[in-house]
Amino acid sequence: MSAVRPGRRSSSWVLFLALSVAGVLAGCSSSSNEPSDENPPPDAGSPDAGPPPDFTWGSGTDTGKLEGNVWTPGRDAKGLVNQVSWALVPKGRWIEVAGTPLTSLDADVKAALPGFRDFGSGGIAAVINAYSGVAVDAPRARWWAFGGGHADSSNNGLYRFDMAKMRWSIEQLPDNSANWADVTYGNTYSTYPPAVAYAKAHPDSDVFSDEFFDPDRPAASTGNPVARHTYNGLVYNPDLQEVAFGVRRMWRYSLTTHTWKRHNPFNTPGATYDGATGYGGSSGWTFWDEVKHRYLFGPTENYSYSRWWSFDTDDQSWNWETVTPPAWFFAQMVRVGRKLVSFPYPESQHGTFPPQFITYDMDTGKWERLLLGHDLELSRCYTDYFEGMIFTYVPPLNRYIAAFPYDRDGDGRFEYRTFEIDAVTLELREAPEYEAGAFGGWHELVKNRFFYLATHDALVYVRKGEENLRVFRLP
């Protein structure tokens, strides 16, 4: 358990200032600027039309080693983790996987981009540490990270982790900051100043502040999205083989052509989107609906009624989808079948005590509140600003695992406590067994980086960018 300290608020005022420029948006299109030769191509290989390979274990005999709670994987000649090595990992406690920090890619990025430096305070680790989650491809046991932003990181690279190899790799290199000569930034790297200036001077264009558009510096004008906090807004689309998010504008990265494409919400030039009208552009979720061929975006978590919106990939249409109950301020959400299940923090100020699930049916568009059985006391619930709910679903157990601050001992210290919720009885109980081993503790900015993988029958915890990956094999 770890004591909770009040976190800094995400820079929503910066966001809304940026969104006020949304009046320059016109139409829906991809950038006409081709990536510069100054930026080397990604290392993800050449475009292909086939599906990615299925997850597979290595068949070698190298078991690697286990020292305390740190496992060094044994790999075969192809770099795949051997199944006999995974068998070495004990069940029922957290184990670190040696050599797996995101920061292990820092030297590779700098070697590929001469003159590159991250202007932010957090370096490459902040790609996930700064209010950002991951896009998970669970059947293939891999995920992507894109984030950073504001003062934390200017790194807009797309990075992939493969459990088959237990290694990070570069899906797409970041834009080279060496090409931004004489660009004067303010207090955020979530906008590109030349794009901001162009948008203001050309209000009928579709240029927006969240892209690298620069008529004076061709090498910088790649049309790629700038770094930004992506919250829980990254999603993998297995049908179209792309990674997408709906933070500020909607962006889609093709894993076959290795290019970004951006869309202006609702194709409405001159519109202003904000939390009151439903498009807040921040702090929310993105889901792919494979039945209706649409992306669902739930971008606002501001305790107000806020409409979700969708983008249909068949006819390229935009739609307002629903009104969110006012209980979603930094709740956490998972998808279970055709339902989205959210667990807002239990407290009285916003009507989320007693503890409850709020579900959304993707087929009917209906919301439902499900009260949980519990032994919590309202007086011991945390009441300060908080955006650190932890939540995931574990199919083989038919249980949810959650974590949030609670003063169980009544001593005034609000410590993260881990809980389990039975999906059938809806009973919530404290579950400290999920804190064993190399746990490291929960923290406020985990977002969706805690999840279950059937390929390994294990929980995965991407705790921080500078730390090793953690795995928890189910007993």
Side-chain angles (χ1 to χ4, degrees):
M1 296 176 292
S2 56
V4 175
R5 56 182 177 80
R8 68 176 175 89
R9 290 180 180 267
S10 54
S11 304
S12 57
W13 68 272
V14 175
L15 165 69
F16 290 119
L17 283 176
L19 285 172
S20 67
V21 188
V24 306
L25 303 182
C28 168
S29 65
S30 60
S31 174
S32 60
N33 292 288
E34 293 295 327
S36 166
D37 291 336
E38 295 292 323
N39 288 323
D43 69 351
S46 58
D48 62 84
D54 292 332
F55 171 81
T56 184
W57 292 105
S59 56
T61 58
D62 184 0
T63 60
K65 60 182 179 179
L66 179 70
E67 297 178 312
N69 288 320
V70 179
W71 169 55
T72 301
R75 299 177 173 88
D76 67 8
K78 296 180 180 179
L80 298 175
V81 174
N82 293 322
Q83 193 163 17
V84 294
S85 182
W86 177 248
L88 197 66
V89 177
K91 297 181 178 181
R93 73 178 198 256
W94 287 102
I95 298 296
E96 288 188 42
V97 183
T100 55
L102 174 60
T103 50
S104 64
L105 290 180
D106 191 50
D108 295 335
V109 171
K110 291 175 179 175
L113 298 173
F116 173 87
R117 70 182 181 90
D118 192 326
F119 290 171
S121 60
I124 194 172
V127 169
I128 58 175
N129 290 355
Y131 297 83
S132 296
V134 292
V136 180
D137 176 7
R140 296 177 181 87
R142 58 183 186 159
W143 59 89
W144 290 263
F146 178 92
H150 290 307
D152 301 292
S153 174
S154 60
N155 186 324
N156 68 329
L158 182 65
Y159 303 99
R160 184 184 70 247
F161 189 91
D162 293 277
M163 290 283 283
K165 295 185 176 181
M166 289 294 178
R167 284 178 176 162
W168 285 98
S169 59
I170 302 168
E171 186 73 56
Q172 187 190 57
L173 285 162
D175 281 54
N176 193 345
S177 56
N179 296 327
W180 310 337
D182 302 320
V183 172
T184 302
Y185 275 94
N187 61 352
T188 178
Y189 303 112
S190 293
T191 61
Y192 184 59
V196 175
Y198 185 91
K200 289 181 178 179
H202 301 82
D204 294 328
S205 77
D206 63 356
V207 174
F208 188 50
S209 62
D210 73 336
E211 68 179 290
F212 283 105
F213 179 88
D214 193 335
D216 298 325
R217 301 169 184 82
S221 197
T222 63
N224 293 329
V226 300
R228 70 199 67 196
H229 301 346
T230 48
Y231 306 93
N232 299 295
L234 283 175
V235 69
Y236 167 69
N237 182 333
D239 298 320
L240 299 179
Q241 283 303 303
E242 62 187 27
V243 175
F245 61 83
V247 181
R248 292 184 172 83
R249 283 190 294 186
M250 175 186 174
W251 287 85
R252 301 159 67 186
Y253 180 83
S254 170
L255 296 168
T256 56
T257 65
H258 311 301
T259 55
W260 284 101
K261 180 178 183 179
R262 82 273 203 281
H263 299 272
N264 295 334
F266 296 92
N267 305 331
T268 309
T272 298
Y273 302 105
D274 56 34
T277 57
Y279 176 71
S282 178
S283 310
W285 304 271
T286 306
F287 293 95
W288 167 244
D289 184 343
E290 72 284 353
V291 174
K292 299 183 179 180
H293 297 180
R294 61 177 179 166
Y295 283 103
L296 282 170
F297 303 98
T300 54
E301 299 167 347
N302 55 8
Y303 276 131
S304 65
Y305 284 89
S306 173
R307 301 181 71 177
W308 282 54
W309 47 283
S310 69
F311 177 77
D312 189 305
T313 57
D314 290 339
D315 63 12
Q316 310 287 291
S317 64
W318 302 86
N319 293 284
W320 293 118
E321 290 296 335
T322 186
V323 176
T324 308
W328 286 59
F329 185 74
F330 297 112
Q332 193 52 272
M333 181 192 294
V334 294
R335 178 177 170 178
V336 181
R338 295 290 293 164
K339 285 195 174 182
L340 307 180
V341 181
S342 174
F343 190 11
Y345 181 71
E347 46 90 39
S348 63
Q349 183 180 0
H350 300 96
T352 55
F353 192 93
Q356 58 197 261
F357 287 166
I358 301 177
T359 68
Y360 174 72
D361 191 304
M362 296 172 68
D363 294 318
T364 66
K366 293 183 178 179
W367 295 95
E368 184 179 9
R369 290 178 183 264
L370 303 173
L371 299 182
L372 307 181
H374 68 98
D375 66 351
L376 304 183
E377 296 181 28
L378 178 59
S379 62
R380 295 186 178 184
C381 291
Y382 194 62
T383 58
D384 290 345
Y385 180 89
F386 175 68
E387 55 182 282
M389 283 293 287
I390 312 292
F391 190 49
T392 198
Y393 175 66
V394 187
L397 302 179
N398 201 18
R399 299 283 193 276
Y400 298 90
I401 298 175
F404 51 86
Y406 183 68
D407 181 15
R408 173 69 74 184
D409 302 324
D411 59 2
R413 288 176 54 84
F414 293 92
E415 299 170 316
Y416 262 108
R417 302 273 177 165
T418 306
F419 298 85
E420 186 179 70
I421 304 99
D422 188 302
V424 177
T425 65
L426 296 180
E427 290 292 323
L428 178 147
R429 70 167 187 88
E430 197 159 344
E433 62 267 30
Y434 294 110
E435 299 179 0
F439 172 49
W442 304 115
H443 64 86
E444 291 186 12
L445 300 178
V446 173
K447 300 305 178 187
N448 66 357
R449 303 194 309 271
F450 169 57
F451 48 89
Y452 170 81
L453 288 180
T455 51
H456 294 69
D457 193 28
L459 297 167
V460 174
Y461 184 17
V462 190
R463 190 173 184 273
K464 291 185 178 182
E466 65 272 26
E467 296 181 1
N468 285 325
L469 177 75
R470 289 165 166 82
V471 294
F472 184 103
R473 294 186 67 188
L474 295 185

